[in-house]
Amino acid sequence: MKKIISFLLLQIITVTAFAQRPDTNVEMADLMRSNGKIYVVIAVLLTIFAGLLLFLISQELRLKRMEKKLNNHISNQNNNQ
Amino acid sequence: MNTNNWMRKWWWKVLAIMLMLFTIVIGMMATVPALPILHETIRNLYYHVPMWFGMTLMLLFGMIFSIKFLRNSRMEDDIIAASFTKVGLLFGCCGITTGMIWAQSTWGVFWNNDPKENAAAVGLLLYFAYFVLRNSMDDMDKRARVSAVANIIFYFTFIPIIFIVPRLTDSLHPGNGGNPGFNAYDLDSNMRMVFYPAVIGWTLFGTWITTVISRTEIVNRELHFSMNNISMNNSSKQLDSKF
């Protein structure tokens, strides 16, 4: 089940060739792309995302320990009764 | 009977991370149509719009858990429903703020009194009212029951307000004022290939946040009940099944 769902979802992100931008007079950040400065922006975004992820994961692991502790406590309590 | 097992699984969280990494990197890199007025801000489609899609789905899941609660009276379902709604509201606030930033650059002012903007603001206020209502009751059973009913009513009020009403009139938002969808923007299918993973990624990520919030709240309740020597659901004496 999980393999199928993961496969299908990851299938979506398989990028085929991106078409060349047609010549237009609309001003875009082409300079940022041509001199590679856009990677700086991507690095910043990835760092922020990584920070948030680490926070969420550590919070979940802490929660897991709490659940375990509480569960032991409750089952002890039930045994004593 | 371990119904909340999916919360402890890791595979869909890893999937969420992968989809979001894809969105961040390819969303900034991929070629986008060069359109006047929009320029590079067209990339906001990958970041602003998934907020609203994610919010709608979070609220939908919340409503489903409210129905589940009314059917079986399990306190966990009430907590999960409220957590989903909370994350939905968070996404909505992010959506409206990012929308204002985008509106400032493309439409000239932060708030245009555009029908869709106003409708979204009303919708968010509706869900703020949900939390005011929910937190105004001390009795846990009563609170769970009333807020579950309110959540279902609010969802079916919210959807027409945000999706149907703006289409009845002229709106600055693409795809409103008659024609459905946002074909005005993403005529090229390259944008869809980043947009849909973004929606799925944010939905999974929001669900992940929801599970952490609701598990914290469940632990909090269990602690409260175990100190008072009562179990959370009268039916479940064996608490091992929960964790």
Side-chain angles (χ1 to χ4, degrees):
Chain A
M1 181 65 181
K2 65 181 171 187
K3 273 180 193 157
I4 296 168
I5 294 175
S6 306
F7 175 76
L8 288 178
L9 288 180
L10 292 174
Q11 196 68 38
I12 309 172
I13 67 176
T14 336
V15 191
T16 51
F18 283 112
Q20 284 286 309
R21 181 178 291 155
D23 284 332
T24 47
N25 295 323
V26 180
E27 198 181 305
M28 301 293 268
D30 291 325
L31 190 65
M32 279 280 268
R33 251 154 270 281
S34 65
N35 62 18
K37 288 269 162 62
I38 195 74
Y39 294 107
V40 181
V41 183
I42 295 174
V44 168
L45 290 175
L46 287 178
T47 312
I48 293 173
F49 182 57
L52 287 175
L53 263 187
L54 284 178
F55 171 75
L56 189 60
I57 291 171
S58 72
Q59 204 64 20
E60 174 159 3
L61 293 176
R62 185 179 299 168
L63 187 59
K64 208 174 236 172
R65 284 200 296 275
M66 272 169 66
E67 284 175 346
K68 217 167 258 172
K69 209 182 270 180
L70 180 67
N71 201 35
N72 288 338
H73 174 71
I74 290 171
S75 53
N76 286 341
Q77 214 169 34
N78 286 348
N79 290 341
N80 291 342
Q81 278 170 2
Chain B
M1 177 199 88
N2 205 344
T3 45
N4 292 334
N5 212 4
W6 58 275
M7 285 189 172
R8 268 158 263 281
K9 291 276 194 295
W10 279 97
W11 67 271
W12 58 271
K13 296 169 189 171
V14 174
L15 194 61
I17 296 171
M18 285 166 78
L19 289 170
M20 291 208 20
L21 285 177
F22 173 83
T23 312
I24 292 170
V25 177
I26 306 299
M28 295 299 284
M29 298 271 299
T31 318
V32 290
L35 298 174
I37 304 172
L38 280 170
H39 302 283
E40 290 284 352
T41 69
I42 196 170
R43 287 177 203 277
N44 277 346
L45 181 79
Y46 304 143
Y47 307 104
H48 159 77
V49 187
M51 285 289 117
W52 293 107
F53 276 59
M55 177 196 68
T56 312
L57 287 169
M58 291 294 106
L59 296 179
L60 172 70
F61 298 155
M63 189 210 57
I64 290 170
F65 274 95
S66 283
I67 294 174
K68 266 183 88 178
F69 170 77
L70 289 177
R71 285 173 65 92
N72 60 22
S73 295
R74 279 176 71 248
M75 272 304 185
E76 284 90 344
D77 286 339
D78 168 60
I79 293 170
I80 295 169
S83 309
F84 265 123
T85 310
K86 210 177 272 179
V87 175
L89 195 54
L90 173 71
F91 278 9
C93 291
C94 291
I96 212 157
T97 317
T98 53
M100 280 168 72
I101 298 168
W102 199 5
Q104 161 67 22
S105 107
T106 50
W107 302 335
V109 278
F110 284 108
W111 198 267
N112 283 283
N113 285 322
D114 177 68
K116 197 146 196 163
E117 284 177 346
N118 286 342
V122 171
L124 290 185
L125 287 175
L126 203 60
Y127 276 98
F128 278 118
Y130 166 81
F131 282 105
V132 172
L133 176 72
R134 188 179 161 80
N135 294 325
S136 67
M137 279 172 281
D138 287 331
D139 183 341
M140 277 183 198
D141 290 313
K142 195 171 155 194
R143 163 163 58 180
R145 215 161 287 276
V146 171
S147 66
V149 174
N151 199 13
I152 296 166
I153 296 171
F154 284 178
Y155 186 76
F156 287 108
T157 315
F158 178 75
I159 293 302
I161 285 181
I162 202 168
F163 287 114
I164 299 174
V165 173
R167 289 204 176 153
L168 299 177
T169 164
D170 280 331
S171 171
L172 289 164
H173 273 90
N176 290 289
N179 57 328
F182 28 35
N183 286 334
Y185 276 72
D186 64 346
L187 277 172
D188 81 69
S189 55
N190 284 341
M191 289 201 81
R192 284 193 194 161
M193 286 197 310
V194 182
F195 175 69
Y196 292 131
V199 170
I200 299 164
W202 277 105
T203 305
L204 290 175
F205 195 67
T207 308
W208 185 2
I209 301 172
T210 304
T211 64
V212 172
I213 295 176
S214 48
R215 278 165 67 187
T216 310
E217 183 56 29
I218 289 170
V219 165
N220 188 22
R221 291 260 180 113
E222 294 280 6
L223 195 62
H224 172 79
F225 284 123
S226 84
M227 287 199 292
N228 294 305
N229 275 323
I230 32 177
S231 93
M232 188 151 148
N233 292 304
N234 294 328
S235 53
S236 61
K237 285 275 178 285
Q238 179 55 276
L239 286 148
D240 282 278
S241 60
K242 286 209 196 74
F243 298 131

